[in-house]
């Protein structure tokens, strides 16, 4: 198995063509990259996407976990 090395990364989000504000949230904490779709137009879509992203960031993963172990625990 070949290891994947991340040499750089960026994060951005876009409202698209139909919405005035963006309800999406994202996590940009290598090795974790996640997007939570805010379901534009749905009631409290921005709240739901924010809660989903926060849950990933605040998940209790052992500090000595490898990058792979961290991602597996976050998925669980």
């Amino acid at each position: 198995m070949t290891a994947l090395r991340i040499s750089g990364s960026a994060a951005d989000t876009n409202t698209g063509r139909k919405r005035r504000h963006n309800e999406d949230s994202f996590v940009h904490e290598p090795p974790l990259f996640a997007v939570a779709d805010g379901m534009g137009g749905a009631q409290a879509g921005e709240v739901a996407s924010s809660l989903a992203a926060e849950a990933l960031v605040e998940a209790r993963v052992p500090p000595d976990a490898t990058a792979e172990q961290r991602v597996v625990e976050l998925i669980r």
Side-chain angles (χ1 to χ4, degrees):
M1 180 180 212
T2 304
L4 175 66
R5 184 170 299 190
I6 299 171
S7 61
S9 61
D12 191 19
T13 186
N14 188 298
T15 59
R17 296 180 186 183
K18 293 186 178 186
R19 305 288 175 209
R20 292 185 180 173
H21 70 282
N22 197 339
E23 297 182 350
D24 299 344
S25 296
F26 60 86
V27 178
H28 179 249
E29 295 183 12
L32 177 63
F33 301 94
V35 176
D37 189 338
M39 302 277 298
Q43 189 172 16
E46 73 282 2
V47 174
S49 69
S50 177
L51 289 172
E54 286 176 26
L56 290 174
V57 172
E58 295 174 359
R60 296 175 192 247
V61 178
D64 60 341
T66 66
E68 292 83 7
Q69 290 169 333
R70 182 173 185 229
V71 171
V72 167
E73 287 301 315
L74 291 171
I75 291 170
R76 286 186 189 160

